[in-house]
Amino acid sequence: MLLNTAIKSCSKLRSLHNCMQMSLRYLCTKTVIPITFIQADGSKVKVDGYEGESVLQVAHRVNIPLEGACDSSLACSTCHVIVDSESFDKLPEAVEEEEDMLDLAPQLSATSRLGCQIILTPKLKNMVLTLPKITRNFYVDGHVPEPH
């Protein structure tokens, strides 16, 4: 009985390991897009995003504190970022729903966007994203959000 349980557990781990390897292979075939986050405290964090990833997905993957409470459904402004002007000009225009949510964001600027709506492409290489010093979080103070 114990042997059967161990074999089943090993099989599940092998399956998880294979899944992780496939995910890594997928990411490795994507174009790397270097971007920089300027955090609320002013510190700069240079990271590698991948073509097709959203800024919010990159932030969650590398533990940048960007909330994304609505899970990218355009129902909040908790992933508000300020884009450098050169990169902002390369982005497609925001849809009306994104603009409506941005109206709720504190520290709105002319180059504000929602991180969930910025999809990385090679033309956004070296984009700089500033996290506002204050946010309208749905979490209680001190809570560190976990990616979904």
Side-chain angles (χ1 to χ4, degrees):
M1 181 85 155
L2 185 59
L3 181 59
N4 285 339
T5 303
I7 290 171
K8 285 180 185 176
S9 294
C10 186
S11 175
K12 286 180 185 175
L13 285 174
R14 201 172 308 118
S15 177
L16 177 62
H17 177 74
N18 289 342
C19 181
M20 288 175 62
Q21 282 185 324
M22 287 175 21
S23 295
L24 282 173
R25 271 188 296 239
Y26 172 76
L27 286 176
C28 291
T29 63
K30 293 291 197 170
T31 302
V32 174
I33 315 289
I35 61 175
T36 301
F37 287 96
I38 300 176
Q39 299 193 86
D41 66 3
S43 62
K44 293 182 180 181
V45 181
K46 294 181 181 206
V47 301
D48 286 336
Y50 297 97
E51 185 175 4
E53 266 188 312
S54 73
V55 164
L56 181 61
Q57 289 170 321
V58 175
H60 284 177
R61 184 170 47 77
V62 298
N63 297 316
I64 298 291
L66 194 59
E67 187 174 335
C70 73
D71 206 20
S72 302
S73 66
L74 284 172
C76 75
S77 62
T78 61
C79 64
H80 168 226
V81 294
I82 301 165
V83 183
D84 70 279
S85 57
E86 184 180 325
S87 298
F88 184 82
D89 292 339
K90 297 175 184 175
L91 293 172
E93 286 192 33
V95 297
E96 186 176 348
E97 293 86 354
E98 179 181 1
E99 289 179 355
D100 289 345
M101 288 299 106
L102 283 169
D103 287 342
L104 303 174
Q107 292 193 315
L108 193 64
S109 82
T111 61
S112 288
R113 291 295 298 266
L114 296 181
C116 66
Q117 298 302 302
I118 301 173
I119 306 302
L120 296 181
T121 64
K123 67 182 179 181
L124 296 175
K125 180 179 177 184
N126 299 317
M127 176 171 52
V128 178
L129 302 155
T130 303
L131 304 185
K133 294 191 186 316
I134 59 171
T135 62
R136 178 172 285 154
N137 285 347
F138 291 144
Y139 292 116
V140 295
D141 289 339
H143 177 79
V144 178
E146 294 288 325
H148 300 283

